[in-house]
Amino acid sequence: MVHMDNTPFTVGTQMLTPSGMRQRYLLGRYNYYMYARNSSEFLASMQVSSTDVYRTMQSGYSELQGVLAGNTKAQDYLKLSQAQASSSMKKLPPFTIRRAQNISESLGQQAIVDGFVAKPIYDYIEGGHWNDGPAPYTCLVADNDHVKRNDDPQYYTDLEWIPPLVKDNYGIEFDLSSEVVQNMDYLNSTHYADAIFAIKFEGFNFKANWTEGQLDIVNTTNKDNLIYPYSNYDRELLISKLLEQPLYEIIDLAAGHKESNNETIPYYRLYSAHDTQIANILTQLMPDYNYTYIPFASNIYIEVHQDPRFDDPFDYQIRFVYNGKPMKIGACADFEGDLCPEKLFISELKKYIIVGDDKKLYDLCDNNVPPEQTFLTAW
């Protein structure tokens, strides 16, 4: 939660609310049941990396709590009516956190683990390629351009139609002066949109009367604010760098190796990052995919499967999943089911990002090669 005045949130600036921590804990429990229950390798070899921001580290530790909690009792199963309801596409009622207000006040700025932990979280990748990690600044060119564009109104002129439709309600919601409301441009409005998104999720009462159309505009504002700060070229570099190490590991694993860059390939690699990374992965790898916003605790999985139908033990298949929904990239859509052959998956990714060329990516991220000679994606 980004802190601002006149909001109902009492957690410290840039920290998770109790509901956010609960979401990530439940995601960790899901991951335990999906991947760890029948594997002794999971906990021993998993590696966790985070951006160097409190709330993403807090997210990572919350998820680890779910993974490491274990379970000694028999697994609970849903009743038939519960299973049918969960797949009916109807909205579930929002869950609540007991003593949420007290927890928020107690957490303050002390929510980050301090001391010995069962599984550490790094803000870099152990044994990774040069300057690896989930943070945008691991590719300097993309991050520097993002910083310049992020606060420059010229890149958002085609979105200036948005504030007049919602700024009066922002004024009521956050007790803004008439002058602030009158002069609100798109960039100013993005901070308030983010807060409205969080207030709605937490179930707090609004002060203003919001229509569904206005709340849709809030969602769109949040999405555009993740995408617009990156040029097409910057986004290509950003996602290439973000996925570099995992894709090296997939390629090496499919070639029959147990190591990548002289390090044992982990059974499970977790990045704890931001909606920025999620939105730009979707936009870069699936430019035709239409989404309205990035929900809290969103996740992308790249699963590596050994297909028992093939004799070759290294004939690997890939499943790409966004928020529980299997997605197909490019020609992978031609295959039935959720899986895509590893070689095809990698070749399709190469149409959108740089894969397997460490030197080239290093040069581009350090601005040693002119962008016009390297841009891959046609938009």
Side-chain angles (χ1 to χ4, degrees):
M1 178 63 213
V2 177
H3 183 74
M4 61 174 60
D5 294 332
N6 301 314
T7 69
F9 299 101
T10 55
V11 295
T13 303
Q14 305 284 339
M15 305 298 280
L16 286 188
T17 65
S19 296
M21 296 176 70
R22 179 66 173 169
Q23 277 189 301
R24 289 298 294 260
Y25 174 85
L26 293 174
L27 187 59
R29 299 303 299 134
Y30 170 83
N31 292 337
Y32 172 81
Y33 280 112
M34 280 292 291
Y35 305 112
R37 267 193 311 160
N38 301 316
S39 173
S40 59
E41 300 176 43
F42 184 91
L43 298 180
S45 73
M46 70 181 296
Q47 290 191 18
V48 187
S49 303
S50 169
T51 61
D52 58 350
V53 175
Y54 278 156
R55 63 185 179 277
T56 58
M57 292 184 180
Q58 193 180 351
S59 293
Y61 280 118
S62 298
E63 186 164 333
L64 275 178
Q65 287 291 324
V67 172
L68 299 174
N71 201 338
T72 57
K73 68 184 182 96
Q75 181 180 357
D76 293 327
Y77 290 93
L78 294 177
K79 298 176 182 178
L80 177 60
S81 59
Q82 293 173 319
Q84 291 172 338
S86 68
S87 58
S88 67
M89 303 304 290
K90 296 180 180 178
K91 291 185 177 179
L92 297 176
F95 63 78
T96 58
I97 305 297
R98 291 188 297 273
R99 300 176 59 250
Q101 182 70 18
N102 291 339
I103 293 173
S104 295
E105 294 171 354
S106 299
L107 284 174
Q109 290 282 8
Q110 308 302 317
I112 300 300
V113 175
D114 183 18
F116 291 103
V117 293
K119 180 67 67 171
I121 293 179
Y122 302 91
D123 63 357
Y124 60 92
I125 297 177
E126 278 195 299
H129 294 258
W130 59 276
N131 195 23
D132 265 330
Y137 59 70
T138 58
C139 182
L140 295 178
V141 168
D143 191 50
N144 289 341
D145 287 349
H146 162 261
V147 170
K148 286 190 299 185
R149 291 168 62 97
N150 199 43
D151 296 318
D152 191 336
Q154 68 171 309
Y155 296 107
Y156 306 91
T157 53
D158 58 336
L159 298 176
E160 290 298 345
W161 60 273
I162 291 177
L165 302 178
V166 289
K167 64 182 183 180
D168 288 338
N169 273 9
Y170 288 151
I172 296 171
E173 206 68 54
F174 303 107
D175 297 330
L176 304 177
S177 69
S178 57
E179 181 181 3
V180 169
V181 172
Q182 182 178 354
N183 295 326
M184 186 180 298
D185 61 11
Y186 176 80
L187 282 178
N188 297 139
S189 74
T190 59
H191 306 294
Y192 305 114
D194 194 41
I196 292 296
F197 189 71
I199 290 170
K200 184 175 186 294
F201 172 80
E202 293 283 349
F204 293 121
N205 292 325
F206 287 127
K207 299 176 185 176
N209 294 319
W210 291 88
T211 67
E212 286 300 316
Q214 287 176 313
L215 291 175
D216 286 341
I217 289 174
V218 168
N219 290 340
T220 301
T221 300
N222 285 319
K223 172 192 171 182
D224 290 339
N225 194 42
L226 303 174
I227 300 300
Y228 269 67
Y230 291 95
S231 68
N232 294 335
Y233 175 69
D234 293 334
R235 185 177 302 109
E236 180 184 337
L237 293 183
L238 174 76
I239 303 308
S240 298
K241 193 69 193 74
L242 177 66
L243 298 181
E244 179 192 27
Q245 181 67 16
L247 294 180
Y248 265 117
E249 291 169 349
I250 290 173
I251 293 170
D252 288 336
L253 189 67
H257 304 306
K258 294 184 178 181
E259 293 186 347
S260 182
N261 195 33
N262 299 318
E263 294 287 333
T264 300
I265 298 173
Y267 186 85
Y268 184 87
R269 178 179 293 286
L270 169 66
Y271 283 167
S272 182
H274 306 267
D275 47 5
T276 301
Q277 281 86 349
I278 296 281
N280 283 282
I281 287 174
L282 295 176
T283 300
Q284 184 65 23
L285 300 186
M286 295 180 293
D288 294 330
Y289 178 59
N290 185 27
Y291 61 97
T292 306
Y293 62 97
I294 303 297
F296 290 122
S298 285
N299 50 84
I300 288 177
Y301 293 88
I302 303 177
E303 300 175 349
V304 184
H305 296 258
Q306 283 181 285
D307 196 324
R309 296 174 298 176
F310 297 94
D311 295 331
D312 185 349
F314 301 119
D315 200 340
Y316 287 91
Q317 309 282 308
I318 307 297
R319 195 166 85 118
F320 186 89
V321 183
Y322 168 57
N323 284 347
K325 179 182 178 181
M327 313 290 284
K328 293 295 188 72
I329 297 175
C332 289
D334 296 337
F335 284 77
E336 295 183 6
D338 299 340
L339 301 177
C340 180
E342 176 267 337
K343 290 182 175 58
L344 177 62
F345 178 79
I346 295 298
S347 69
E348 289 301 304
L349 287 188
K350 288 182 177 179
K351 296 178 181 178
Y352 302 102
I353 59 176
I354 300 165
V355 180
D357 193 336
D358 199 39
K359 177 63 166 60
K360 179 178 182 179
L361 190 53
Y362 178 94
D363 287 340
L364 298 183
C365 280
D366 270 17
N367 206 23
N368 290 339
V369 180
E372 61 270 14
Q373 297 181 18
T374 58
F375 182 55
L376 298 177
T377 310
W379 293 85

